[in-house]
Amino acid sequence: MSKSSASTNGATLWAKTPKANAELFSLTYGSLVTEVVRDADGNVNEINEQLEKIGYSIGIRSVDEFLAKSNAAHCRSLQDTAQVLGKTAFKMFLGIDCDVQILSPTTFSLIMQENPLYLFVELPENYKETLQYAILYCGIIRGALEMLNYKVECTLVKNILKGDDVDEIKVELKQILQDGAGDDYKED
Amino acid sequence: MSLHCLALLGNKNEPLYLCSPSTDVDVEKSPHDDSALDDDHDVFGFLEDMAESSSERKTRKPSIRLETMIHASLDRLEEILGAPRKGISYGKFKRGSHWLGCICPIEEFEIYGYTTSSDVKILALIEREGIVPLKKRKEIDIKILFTAVHDCYVKYTMNPFTKIRGKIEPPCSEFEEGILAAMQQYNDAVAATKMVTI
């Protein structure tokens, strides 16, 4: 799957999807984060973990919608998956143009110039270095790829809220899972 | 007609934010020797927290003299708006516009007021030129300033990590940048009109 067809696919899908107000989106996520912060009582790792779990539940559900709506061709390698994820999926759901950087046969990076979640947000001093606001995306990617039998680990490498100029998510392939429907359905 | 001080007040007239423009506009001494008042001796204890992080603040703390003047005008503000009540007051819906006009003259300044629908008030301490009060043309600049400050405040409240109706404290760099830009724009506009009349 060539790069340009992934992005044109993404652009057409973005034009077709119903849109939501960006402020509403950002404010909703913001209040979700403040609730999690309040519940966690200062433990930043727990906050990040909670947000990632929320992203995971979003990811496992939205991957089906994505595959149904887009007619993305079969991905032959992780590189293709990276292109489809960055150019088509992110564009379709969020309207962001991502740059994809392949770091190794099992690792790639998604680079975002701007992030709709960050509208109006400024982190307070005690969370500035540690709270990973966009870790939601990491959870979404992990959940979506897990449904496709890729077990990945996603980390937020660069963060605009911390002062970097872009957001960077590093995705590392850990394992390709066996095609199974889970232990409940295994025949003895 | 230069701006010396800007104050944001909450719904019970409590101070949310106070600042002065960063140029040395208010170093002009009044006829009295109030050098004792001009030092950063914080009588009301409001700016104590701000003093610690004053290195991060982009705007200047106003001198105690200006702060006291703003405080003194609160009586007149209450007369105009009615005492701050606990429940919903319908008086504010009868008012019509946000602009309050000149609230009161104090020494060589005049205080202009602006109120929002959520009872957040913005006061501007403006130096008076001559005895004649400002004509409508010059008030436009103040109205523009107030609208810009109101905008900054709204954007500040949209940050999910801020305390609603609480004191405005860091992280507020976007807010402070906006305030600085608005004050700068006002001072430039005033300087421009001064050139024209002279």
Side-chain angles (χ1 to χ4, degrees):
Chain A
M1 179 148 218
S2 66
K3 282 185 223 175
S4 55
S5 64
S7 30
T8 43
N9 203 1
T12 39
L13 287 167
W14 170 243
K16 277 194 272 179
T17 48
K19 311 281 189 300
N21 188 329
E23 286 180 14
L24 182 63
F25 177 60
S26 171
L27 285 177
T28 309
Y29 185 61
S31 25
L32 178 69
V33 172
T34 36
E35 276 306 310
V36 173
V37 166
R38 225 171 298 177
D39 288 339
D41 253 349
N43 183 354
V44 188
N45 290 327
E46 195 182 315
I47 301 173
N48 287 336
E49 208 183 293
Q50 285 285 354
L51 294 176
E52 215 259 352
K53 267 195 233 171
I54 294 172
Y56 180 77
S57 340
I58 299 179
I60 56 180
R61 291 173 178 84
S62 49
V63 68
D64 284 316
E65 185 186 341
F66 173 67
L67 290 173
K69 292 248 172 76
S70 77
N71 49 1
H74 187 70
C75 290
R76 296 182 187 288
S77 64
L78 191 69
Q79 277 78 328
D80 288 340
T81 313
Q83 292 296 337
V84 169
L85 184 63
K87 300 281 182 198
T88 318
F90 265 77
K91 182 77 183 168
M92 172 179 155
F93 284 109
L94 295 164
I96 328 175
D97 287 311
C98 270
D99 288 319
V100 181
Q101 229 177 45
I102 311 284
L103 302 170
S104 84
T106 51
T107 326
F108 63 91
S109 259
L110 293 173
I111 299 179
M112 292 179 266
Q113 306 287 343
E114 52 166 16
N115 198 333
L117 288 178
Y118 291 162
L119 201 60
F120 305 125
V121 176
E122 252 181 84
L123 290 177
E125 282 311 310
N126 47 339
Y127 292 121
K128 201 162 185 187
E129 295 296 317
T130 44
L131 180 64
Q132 297 177 334
Y133 202 79
I135 202 171
L136 187 85
Y137 292 156
C138 297
I140 296 180
I141 296 174
R142 184 170 73 92
L145 291 179
E146 194 164 310
M147 285 291 114
L148 304 173
N149 288 331
Y150 286 118
K151 192 166 159 100
V152 296
E153 199 177 282
C154 294
T155 41
L156 202 57
V157 174
K158 281 196 203 164
N159 203 341
I160 292 179
L161 289 179
K162 238 191 262 187
D164 302 314
D165 48 348
V166 288
D167 271 341
E168 190 178 323
I169 300 178
K170 195 168 92 159
V171 183
E172 212 175 300
L173 178 65
K174 291 287 171 195
Q175 202 189 359
I176 297 189
L177 301 163
Q178 291 305 323
D179 195 24
D183 290 331
D184 301 329
Y185 297 100
K186 272 215 172 70
E187 287 168 33
D188 290 317
Chain B
M1 254 176 355
S2 41
L3 176 70
H4 283 240
C5 183
L6 201 67
L8 255 86
L9 308 174
N11 60 345
K12 292 196 181 47
N13 291 344
E14 79 275 19
L16 298 181
Y17 188 75
L18 290 171
C19 77
S20 271
S22 48
T23 55
D24 283 333
V25 175
D26 62 346
V27 178
E28 294 170 36
K29 292 292 179 204
S30 70
H32 327 288
D33 174 32
D34 51 8
S35 50
L37 295 174
D38 268 354
D39 62 29
D40 287 338
H41 175 57
D42 185 15
V43 168
F44 297 118
F46 170 65
L47 296 173
E48 255 162 27
D49 307 325
M50 287 198 171
E52 280 137 35
S53 56
S54 62
S55 55
E56 296 163 10
R57 266 186 66 141
K58 297 189 175 131
T59 52
R60 233 176 38 171
K61 279 190 309 191
S63 67
I64 191 66
R65 176 170 173 254
L66 300 181
E67 205 186 320
T68 326
M69 287 193 212
I70 299 254
H71 189 81
S73 69
L74 290 182
D75 279 337
R76 178 78 189 109
L77 188 69
E78 264 190 38
E79 265 178 47
I80 299 180
L81 295 174
R85 268 180 293 261
K86 221 173 173 187
I88 302 177
S89 65
Y90 296 102
K92 63 182 171 188
F93 298 117
K94 293 185 203 148
R95 210 180 301 127
S97 86
H98 293 160
W99 167 254
L100 295 173
C102 177
I103 296 186
C104 83
I106 286 187
E107 296 188 29
E108 75 268 24
F109 302 107
E110 277 178 340
I111 299 197
Y112 285 83
Y114 177 96
T115 185
T116 68
S117 314
S118 46
D119 282 337
V120 170
K121 297 150 198 104
I122 309 179
L123 299 180
L125 196 77
I126 303 218
E127 191 180 339
R128 189 185 326 132
E129 311 250 306
I131 303 186
V132 182
L134 291 186
K135 299 189 223 92
K136 289 254 165 60
R137 153 78 191 95
K138 297 170 187 176
E139 284 190 354
I140 291 267
D141 293 321
I142 310 181
K143 288 188 190 182
I144 294 177
L145 170 74
F146 280 145
T147 326
V149 172
H150 188 187
D151 252 352
C152 292
Y153 180 68
V154 167
K155 290 208 182 95
Y156 172 78
T157 53
M158 299 278 247
N159 182 359
F161 292 104
T162 61
K163 186 163 181 285
I164 287 288
R165 307 282 176 255
K167 219 169 93 173
I168 295 182
E169 8 185 63
C172 57
S173 56
E174 288 288 329
F175 176 70
E176 293 198 331
E177 273 171 37
I179 296 272
L180 277 178
M183 292 199 287
Q184 191 57 42
Q185 195 194 33
Y186 173 76
N187 282 331
D188 291 342
V190 158
T193 51
K194 240 200 233 172
M195 297 293 210
V196 170
T197 51
I198 294 173

